[in-house]
C-alpha cells in the first residue's frame, strides 16, 4: 500500500448522503448516564404505550362496526330470499300444471298411443322366423294360419278403431294381447322386452287409474304376469335387459295411480321377484345393483303407505283372519287364474281380496329378519352381502314409517 493510498471505505460511507444510522444493537445505554437524562426516554415509552392502546380500541370499534354491517347485509339477503320464495313456489306450481297438462294430452291421444305400441310389438315379432313368413308378400295369409299372439294384437288394433278414448274400453281387454306376449314362454327376449316397455309406458301415462274399468283386476293381472314372465334365452346381455325391464314394470305398477289396488299377495310377489332376480347365477354387477335398488324402491313405496293406513283405521284389522301369503312363486298359473283368463266375469280374485296393507308389511319384516340372521351361512361372502342388503332395507323401513311404526 502506498503513502497516498487511503484505506477502503464501505460503500455508502463516503459522504453525508451515504451515511447510515447505527444499528439498534450498536446503541447501548450508558450506565454512567444520570437518571435525569434517561427520564425523557421513559416518558416517550409511556406515550407510545398509550398510542398503542388507542389504536387497539379503534380497531375493536371498527371490527364491531364491520360486524354490524355484515349483519345488515345478511338481513338484506334474507329479505331478498323471502321476496323470491313466492315466485319459486309459483314456478313449481306452473311446472305441476304443465305436467298435468302433458299427462292429460297423453290420455286424450291414448288410443293412438296404444296403436303405436301394437305396431312396435308386431314389428319385433316379424323379425322372428316363428312369426314371419315370406309368402305374405305374394299372397294373403289367412288369419287362422297366424300365431294367436299376432292375431290378438291385430284384433285389438281393429277394435280400437271404434273408440276415441281408451277409458271407454275395458282395461283388461286392451291389455290382454300385451300380457299374452309377456306370458308366453315361446317369445324371445327382444319381443318380451318390447311388450314390457309398452306396459311401462301405459303405467307412466296414467292409462290405468282407480277410475278405469276393472282397474283392480288389471293391475293385479299385470303384477301376476310380470312376476311369472318366461322367455327364450338369446344372449346374456340381451336377457339382462329384459330382466331390468321386468324390475321397472313392477316398480311402475306399484307406484301408478292404481297401485293401491294391488293385493297383499301381489305385493309380496313383487318383493320376491326383485330379490330373486338379483340372486340369479352369472349375473353382472350392474344388474345385481339394479335389482337391489328396485327392491329398495318397492319396500319404500310399500311402507310409505303405512301412515295412510293408520289414519284410515285399516291397521286395526286382525291379520290372523287374512289369507296366508305364499312364500314361493309357482312357475305355472293355477287353475283359478287360467279360468279367469278365458272368461270376462267381473267376479275375480282381485275384487274378493282387499288392497294390500298390514299382512304384506308383516311378511316383509319377517323376510328382512331372516335376511339379517342367516345362521351358519352368515360368515360367507354371499351371506355377508345378504346381511348388508337386509340391514339397508330395515333402515329404509325405519326411515319411511319410523314414527308411525312406534305408535
Amino acid at each position: 500500500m502506498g503513502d497516498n493510498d487511503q484505506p477502503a471505505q464501505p460503500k455508502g460511507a463516503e459522504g453525508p448522503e451515504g451515511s447510515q444510522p447505527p444499528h439498534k444493537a450498536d446503541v447501548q445505554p450508558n450506565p454512567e448516564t444520570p437518571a435525569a437524562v434517561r427520564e425523557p426516554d421513559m416518558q416517550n415509552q409511556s406515550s407510545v404505550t398509550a398510542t398503542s392502546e388507542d389504536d387497539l380500541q379503534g380497531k375493536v370499534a371498527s371490527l364491531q362496526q364491520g360486524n354490524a354491517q355484515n349483519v345488515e347485509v345478511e338481513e338484506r339477503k334474507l329479505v331478498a330470499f323471502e321476496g323470491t320464495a313466492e315466485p319459486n313456489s309459483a314456478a313449481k306450481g306452473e311446472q305441476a300444471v304443465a305436467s298435468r297438462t302433458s299427462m292429460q294430452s297423453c290420455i286424450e291421444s291414448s288410443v293412438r298411443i296404444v296403436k303405436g305400441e301394437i305396431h312396435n310389438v308386431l314389428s319385433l315379432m316379424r323379425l322372428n322366423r316363428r312369426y314371419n313368413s315370406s309368402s305374405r308378400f305374394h299372397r294373403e295369409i289367412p288369419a287362422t294360419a297366424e300365431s294367436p299372439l299376432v292375431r290378438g294384437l291385430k284384433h285389438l288394433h281393429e277394435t280400437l278403431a271404434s273408440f276415441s278414448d281408451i277409458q271407454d274400453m275395458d282395461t283388461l281387454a286392451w291389455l290382454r294381447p300385451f300380457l299374452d306376449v309377456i306370458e308366453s314362454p315361446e317369445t324371445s327376449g327382444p319381443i318380451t322386452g318390447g311388450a314390457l316397455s309398452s306396459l311401462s309406458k301405459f303405467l307412466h301415462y296414467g292409462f290405468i287409474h282407480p277410475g278405469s274399468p276393472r282397474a283392480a283386476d288389471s293391475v293385479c293381472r299385470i303384477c301376476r304376469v310380470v312376476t311369472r314372465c318366461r322367455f327364450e334365452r338369446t344372449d346374456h346381455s340381451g336377457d339382462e335387459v329384459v330382466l331390468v325391464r321386468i324390475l321397472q314394470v313392477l316398480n311402475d305398477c306399484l307406484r301408478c295411480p292404481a297401485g293401491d289396488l294391488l293385493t297383499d299377495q301381489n305385493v309380496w310377489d313383487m318383493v320376491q321377484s326383485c330379490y330373486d332376480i338379483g340372486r340369479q347365477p352369472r349375473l353382472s354387477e350392474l344388474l345385481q345393483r339394479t335389482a337391489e335398488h328396485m327392491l329398495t324402491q318397492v319396500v319404500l313405496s310399500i311402507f310409505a303407505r303405512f301412515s295412510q293406513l293408520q289414519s284410515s283405521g285399516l291397521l286395526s284389522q286382525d291379520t290372523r283372519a287374512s289369507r296366508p301369503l305364499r312364500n314361493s312363486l309357482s312357475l305355472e298359473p293355477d287353475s283359478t287364474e287360467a279360468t279367469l283368463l278365458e272368461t270376462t266375469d267381473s267376479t275375480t280374485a282381485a275384487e274378493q281380496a282387499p288392497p294390500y296393507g298390514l299382512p304384506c308389511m308383516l311378511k316383509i319384516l319377517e323376510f328382512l329378519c331372516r335376511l339379517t340372521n342367516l345362521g351358519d351361512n352368515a360368515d360367507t361372502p354371499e351371506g355377508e352381502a345378504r346381511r348388508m342388503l337386509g340391514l339397508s332395507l330395515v333402515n329404509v323401513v325405519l326411515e319411511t314409517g319410523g314414527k308411525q311404526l312406534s305408535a
Side-chain angles (χ1 to χ4, degrees):
M1 179 181 297
D3 296 338
N4 296 329
D5 294 337
Q6 297 295 331
Q9 295 182 359
K11 186 178 181 179
E14 297 178 355
E17 296 179 356
S19 61
Q20 298 291 335
H23 195 271
K24 290 183 179 180
D26 298 335
V27 181
Q28 300 291 337
N30 190 358
E32 297 180 358
T33 304
V37 178
R38 294 197 302 268
E39 184 176 359
D41 296 337
M42 299 298 294
Q43 292 177 356
N44 291 337
Q45 293 178 1
S46 300
S47 62
V48 170
T49 304
T51 304
S52 300
E53 292 179 354
D54 294 340
D55 293 342
L56 181 60
Q57 292 178 357
K59 291 180 179 179
V60 171
S62 62
L63 288 175
Q64 292 178 350
Q65 184 178 2
N67 292 335
Q69 293 177 354
N70 292 335
V71 171
E72 184 178 358
V73 170
E74 294 297 330
E75 290 179 351
R76 291 177 180 176
K77 290 181 179 180
L78 181 60
V79 171
F81 175 77
E82 292 176 351
T84 58
E86 293 184 359
N88 290 337
S89 301
K92 291 180 179 179
E94 293 177 357
Q95 292 177 359
V97 172
S99 177
R100 288 194 297 267
T101 303
S102 176
M103 295 299 295
Q104 184 65 26
S105 176
C106 292
I107 293 176
E108 291 176 356
S109 58
S110 55
V111 173
R112 198 161 56 248
I113 293 174
V114 175
K115 286 183 178 181
E117 293 304 316
I118 293 174
H119 287 296
N120 293 338
V121 178
L122 286 176
S123 300
L124 292 172
M125 297 181 73
R126 290 194 180 101
L127 297 176
N128 192 300
R129 294 181 179 179
R130 178 177 296 167
Y131 308 102
N132 186 16
S133 176
S134 58
S135 59
R136 65 188 177 93
F137 296 104
H138 306 284
R139 59 184 177 84
E140 184 178 358
I141 303 298
T144 55
E146 292 181 330
S147 169
L149 301 178
V150 176
R151 289 203 308 267
L153 291 169
K154 288 185 175 180
H155 177 69
L156 175 60
H157 190 277
E158 296 173 358
T159 305
L160 290 174
S162 58
F163 291 91
S164 59
D165 188 356
I166 201 66
Q167 300 299 319
D168 299 333
M169 189 175 177
D170 184 7
T171 306
L172 195 56
W174 64 264
L175 280 175
R176 183 173 285 112
F178 297 95
L179 298 177
D180 291 342
V181 172
I182 297 173
E183 193 175 26
S184 175
E186 297 179 354
T187 55
S188 62
I191 298 175
T192 305
L196 288 169
S197 298
S198 300
L199 282 185
S200 182
K201 180 181 290 188
F202 300 153
L203 294 170
H204 271 296
Y205 287 176
F207 291 174
I208 307 174
H209 53 81
S212 301
R214 300 180 67 185
D217 299 337
S218 301
V219 292
C220 293
R221 179 69 184 142
I222 290 175
C223 177
R224 184 172 180 83
V225 168
V226 174
T227 52
R228 289 156 179 80
C229 176
R230 299 293 182 270
F231 56 92
E232 290 183 348
R233 293 183 178 274
T234 52
D235 59 279
H236 186 68
S237 58
D239 295 340
E240 289 195 350
V241 172
V242 180
L243 293 177
V244 170
R245 289 179 178 174
I246 290 175
L247 295 171
Q248 186 63 50
V249 172
L250 291 177
N251 191 30
D252 294 339
C253 185
L254 183 62
R255 293 191 169 189
C256 75
D260 293 343
L261 303 177
L262 292 168
T263 64
D264 290 303
Q265 186 64 53
N266 294 142
V267 175
W268 173 236
D269 289 348
M270 285 184 178
V271 174
Q272 284 190 301
S273 296
C274 294
Y275 179 73
D276 291 340
I277 289 176
R279 292 177 54 204
Q280 290 192 6
R282 299 184 303 276
L283 202 65
S284 66
E285 185 74 13
L286 177 60
L287 180 55
Q288 183 180 358
R289 299 304 175 207
T290 302
E292 293 177 358
H293 173 71
M294 288 300 178
L295 179 59
T296 302
Q297 296 299 316
V298 167
V299 173
L300 188 151
S301 300
I302 294 170
F303 283 89
R305 194 166 178 256
F306 190 88
S307 59
Q308 178 184 354
L309 296 175
Q310 188 180 43
S311 60
S312 60
L314 297 177
L315 292 179
S316 59
Q317 59 181 345
D318 188 5
T319 58
R320 293 173 297 181
S322 59
R323 183 179 180 181
L325 305 180
R326 296 187 299 272
N327 290 328
S328 60
L329 298 176
S330 59
L331 299 181
E332 299 293 335
D334 53 26
S335 58
T336 304
E337 183 66 19
T339 304
L340 292 174
L341 288 178
E342 298 174 358
T343 62
T344 57
D345 187 9
S346 60
T347 306
T348 61
E351 293 181 349
Q352 297 175 357
Y356 76 93
L358 192 59
C360 74
M361 295 181 185
L362 294 177
K363 192 69 176 179
I364 293 173
L365 290 176
E366 180 184 349
F367 164 70
L368 297 181
C369 292
R370 295 198 311 268
L371 200 60
T372 54
N373 186 16
L374 298 175
D376 298 335
N377 298 326
D379 297 333
T380 62
E382 183 180 0
E384 186 67 21
R386 293 183 186 181
R387 176 184 293 176
M388 293 299 296
L389 175 61
L391 291 175
S392 65
L393 293 176
V394 170
N395 186 49
V396 170
V397 171
L398 296 177
E399 289 176 345
T400 306
K403 295 182 179 180
Q404 288 78 12
L405 289 174
S406 62

